[in-house]
Amino acid sequence: MRSCRARAFLALATVALAVSGCSANLDGTGTSNIPGPDPQRDIPANALAPMGPVAEAQDDLWNLAYPISIAVFVLVFAGLAFIVVRFRDKGQEQLPKQVHGNTKLEIAWTLVPALILVAIAVPTVQTIFELADEPAEDAVHVTVVAKQYWWQFEYTDDDTGFYTANELHIPAGREVYLTLDGSEPAGPQYGTPPVMHSFWVASLAGKRDWVPGAIREMRIEAYEPGIYPGNCAEFCGLSHANMRFTVIAHEEAEYEEWVANQREPAAEPTDELAVQGQELFVSQTCVACHNITGHPENGESRVGPDLTHFASREAFAGYIFDSPFGESAEDPEASRELLRPWIRHSADLKPGSQMPQFPNISDEDVDALIAYLGTLE
Ligand code: CUA
């Protein structure tokens, strides 16, 4: 019986090991040959390799608590092993000597854990207060709204704010103060059903939940320019795993240049096919959900991602597929081919996507829409 149980346990442990070694297929389609940003292509999402002051302050707490935990673990289990061996039943007939109460020991095992807790609590509380401080003078302010299943970033520092989706550009070496804004009315018609999400850029800061009805703040900062992968860290529905985003930290001048471009209204298309696409954008009701600033019939709706500068982004669909217009696209043709089914049945590529389906839209019209999207730089 015992060997049977042991074997069952071994088998389970082996399966668990094998499963944990599986590489996740994050594109959500069940196929792996679709081009999408490789999560490990850039800086790995590693909370133990902090790339900014916030992550580093949090990592310092881990560096303090972890060795203490290991020491406690080793001492407790060494003591346990010693007692189990030393006082094991050696077959004596009589009960061993019974001991009750030992004042010195009791004081020791009350005091020592209390001191350990104080040693961990003091720097922890200190760090919590530091991280909850007022934003720095020169901080960049961004309001974050979690939608189903993508992230909206609104830059609020200037009179003319602008929006991006799934791509958070920041200046390296400057604090970015994020407002996780759950105060919007919730409901599919607003693109924000009342579920929780969690904003997590592992190498820049710990997680913070985005909570419907609540407004929460957090700060991030990157020491160096780079591309830092982020993802939703709270199960929120079918495409939770497809709710990725990226923080792109630039040198200051490059960042300002990016901001200046984002604040511009969308370029007017000149190409015939793109002009046709612009017209379709209204007649196929895209404009009812997607804002394009500068579009002649701009509806200012942000149920879906703001597309004003769609072609300047490196990925689409919750950041799971390379954009054919991005600079880092590995296979722009394949990515372009992916935009077609995306426009027709987005939920096939990203389960639970709330974009309406347009199954009957002709190939020619899809081409025109893609041509128009390509002009939105
Ligand atoms: Cu959003 Cu998980």
Side-chain angles (χ1 to χ4, degrees), residues 197 232 234-236 240 243:
H197 304 263
C232 179
E234 176 82 41
F235 182 70
C236 52
H240 158 67
M243 196 169 165

Side-chain angles (χ1 to χ4, degrees), residues 146-151 195-198 231-237 239-243:
K147 307 263 191 164
Q148 217 77 342
Y149 299 90
W150 57 280
W151 298 90
V195 292
M196 277 168 66
H197 304 263
S198 189
N231 56 277
C232 179
E234 176 82 41
F235 182 70
C236 52
S239 267
H240 158 67
N242 293 325
M243 196 169 165

Side-chain angles (χ1 to χ4, degrees), residues 131-199:
L131 294 180
D133 210 0
E134 293 293 304
E137 284 271 293
D138 66 342
V140 173
H141 291 79
V142 179
T143 298
V144 179
V145 179
K147 307 263 191 164
Q148 217 77 342
Y149 299 90
W150 57 280
W151 298 90
Q152 174 180 283
F153 301 119
E154 179 188 3
Y155 288 70
T156 56
D157 275 325
D158 312 289
D159 301 337
T160 47
F162 60 86
Y163 295 79
T164 68
N166 306 322
E167 217 172 71
L168 180 61
H169 292 250
I170 65 171
R174 230 163 96 190
E175 183 182 301
V176 179
Y177 198 78
L178 303 174
T179 305
L180 307 186
D181 186 356
S183 68
E184 272 195 31
Q189 70 272 36
Y190 303 105
T192 53
V195 292
M196 277 168 66
H197 304 263
S198 189
F199 181 94

